Amino acid sequence: MGVVETTKMRARRVVEALELPLGQIIAGDCIEAMRSLPDACIDMIFADPPYNLQLGGDLNRPDGSHVDAVTDHWDQFADFATYDRFTRAWLTEARRVLKRDGSLWVIGSYHNIFRVGAAMQDLGFWLLNDIIWRKANPMPNFRGTRFTNAHETLIWASMGEKARYTFNYQAMKTLNDELQMRSDWVLPICGGQERLRKGGTKVHPTQKPEALLYRVMLASTSKGDVVLDPFFGTGTTGAVAKRLGRQWIGCEREADYREAAMERIEMALPLDESALRTMQSAKTAPKVAFGTLVETGMLAPGTRLFDRKRKFKASVRADGSLESGPHTGSIHKLGAVLQQAPSCNGWTFWHVEQGGELMPLDALRQTYLLATEP
């Protein structure tokens, strides 16, 4: 009987997936777009709604140059009451399309996150965590009138106090070099080649770094899950979902953003199946977790690592664990197992090949620290 039920459930999941616009961006207002989706069809929602910044006029640096702040019409609301009605409307649809064991992530700044959080609680969501994304390289306060705003807040919520939800605890611990992942995440803002530009101008003023979505998705979804982003923008959610073997649906009313997002996602490379298998085990931690190099893209999952004499080799997996034949573990644990030693400093033991030469992982770590120095 149990086998029959499982088969039926799998068949139903396949049918549901066929009915969904997977890998597509639904054009138009997010509320109307979500209304086109069936009930309880989404595993996880990541929402980056308008912040309602209430900026008065342009923002300039001390040298007079203009700052690309959020002055677009989509971030402008007549008053707080208007913004609150909008928030309740999209959250209501989000709750309808989420599965009973699904979860919701919302990111915001001090301008809006408290209002959004209250609305979430009013609608029955159960807050699991508030995550502080501390920006390793924040924009300074040019006017010198306040503290530098160096973080944003993410709220992670389930469908109710007793609701089940996905949390890949061990994957998060492995990503953080075998320490429990904390609720303060230090990650750089989007920049460099990752930042989409057109004619020298940012395509989107608040493009989120892929490392942030990588951690969110790895923590709270499983391979094959359907992730919805109601404020899709330039497609960070879609690009990371493709890399991690998740399905995605986006909602976006701005045609320029939709075009940029699809171009970006088409270029994103999905990870190898073996790299997507996540860890089930444990050990130590330095100031920079090995998983940070993976989620920020400095070291791609699937990369081959070697010891200095090339006697041992291993491949990097999506959660920062390594795999070598039948053995898996953190960079430290696997190095120790392969050498049959009581311990191992994985940062100096493992090397990555660059330009035909081997470079210790510690060199990559130092490069990351220099790149993200405030």
Side-chain angles (χ1 to χ4, degrees), residues 158-190:
S158 66
M159 291 289 281
E161 183 179 2
K162 306 295 184 184
R164 297 175 66 87
Y165 57 90
T166 296
F167 178 48
N168 299 316
Y169 168 81
Q170 190 59 57
M172 287 295 95
K173 192 174 179 183
T174 306
L175 195 68
N176 198 38
D177 276 357
E178 303 301 345
L179 282 183
Q180 282 190 348
M181 183 71 77
R182 292 164 36 132
S183 62
D184 53 335
W185 300 352
V186 182
L187 296 168
I189 61 175
C190 185

Side-chain angles (χ1 to χ4, degrees), residues 144-371:
T145 56
R146 308 180 187 181
F147 296 109
T148 296
N149 189 26
H151 77 275
E152 291 184 31
T153 301
L154 297 95
I155 297 176
W156 179 37
S158 66
M159 291 289 281
E161 183 179 2
K162 306 295 184 184
R164 297 175 66 87
Y165 57 90
T166 296
F167 178 48
N168 299 316
Y169 168 81
Q170 190 59 57
M172 287 295 95
K173 192 174 179 183
T174 306
L175 195 68
N176 198 38
D177 276 357
E178 303 301 345
L179 282 183
Q180 282 190 348
M181 183 71 77
R182 292 164 36 132
S183 62
D184 53 335
W185 300 352
V186 182
L187 296 168
I189 61 175
C190 185
Q193 292 185 335
E194 186 184 336
R195 168 67 77 173
L196 301 185
R197 296 181 183 274
K198 194 170 185 179
T201 304
K202 295 175 185 176
V203 175
H204 196 294
T206 63
Q207 181 182 335
K208 296 301 181 289
E210 291 192 6
L212 183 69
L213 269 296
Y214 188 105
R215 191 174 294 189
V216 164
M217 232 171 276
L218 197 64
S220 55
T221 63
S222 302
K223 184 176 178 293
D225 278 357
V226 179
V227 178
L228 170 68
D229 187 334
F231 307 94
F232 202 61
T234 50
T236 303
T237 299
V240 175
K242 183 177 177 181
R243 283 175 60 201
L244 289 176
R246 277 62 168 167
Q247 301 285 355
W248 63 269
I249 300 170
C251 306
E252 179 54 56
R253 71 182 192 183
E254 304 295 325
D256 289 348
Y257 295 164
R258 293 197 301 270
E259 182 182 348
M262 289 309 298
E263 288 180 6
R264 173 188 187 182
I265 294 168
E266 284 172 8
M267 293 174 62
L269 297 175
L271 301 182
D272 182 81
E273 286 288 324
S274 61
L276 287 175
R277 291 198 301 271
T278 54
M279 267 298 296
Q280 304 294 328
S281 187
K283 197 147 179 143
T284 78
K287 292 180 181 177
V288 176
F290 176 65
T292 300
L293 304 185
V294 179
E295 65 186 351
T296 55
M298 289 194 71
L299 202 63
T303 300
R304 305 288 280 181
L305 301 181
F306 308 87
D307 69 300
R308 188 168 55 84
K309 296 181 178 180
R310 295 183 183 268
K311 180 180 178 181
F312 303 108
K313 60 183 178 181
S315 59
V316 179
R317 300 198 295 181
D319 63 357
S321 61
L322 302 186
E323 181 176 33
S324 179
H327 304 292
T328 60
S330 67
I331 57 172
H332 314 294
K333 182 176 181 179
L334 186 62
V337 168
L338 294 178
Q339 297 177 90
Q340 297 183 337
S343 63
C344 170
N345 182 347
W347 290 108
T348 54
F349 177 74
W350 291 109
H351 293 62
V352 61
E353 188 168 0
Q354 292 195 350
E357 296 190 9
L358 292 180
M359 178 176 70
L361 288 180
D362 192 54
L364 270 186
R365 175 169 62 166
Q366 297 307 318
T367 300
Y368 172 82
L369 286 170
L370 287 171

Side-chain angles (χ1 to χ4, degrees), residues 42-43 98-103 158-159 163-166 220:
I42 302 296
D43 295 291
L98 267 174
K99 295 178 180 177
R100 298 307 97 187
D101 58 355
S103 66
S158 66
M159 291 289 281
R164 297 175 66 87
Y165 57 90
T166 296
S220 55

Side-chain angles (χ1 to χ4, degrees), residues 51 53-61 65-76 111 139-140 142-143 195 201-207 257:
Y51 286 7
L53 294 180
Q54 312 125 46
L55 289 178
D58 291 335
L59 183 60
N60 296 307
R61 298 181 179 86
S65 59
H66 180 66
V67 177
D68 291 331
V70 182
T71 54
D72 303 84
H73 63 279
W74 50 258
D75 192 59
Q76 296 170 359
H111 302 87
M139 182 185 296
F142 295 111
R143 291 174 178 164
R195 168 67 77 173
T201 304
K202 295 175 185 176
V203 175
H204 196 294
T206 63
Q207 181 182 335
Y257 295 164

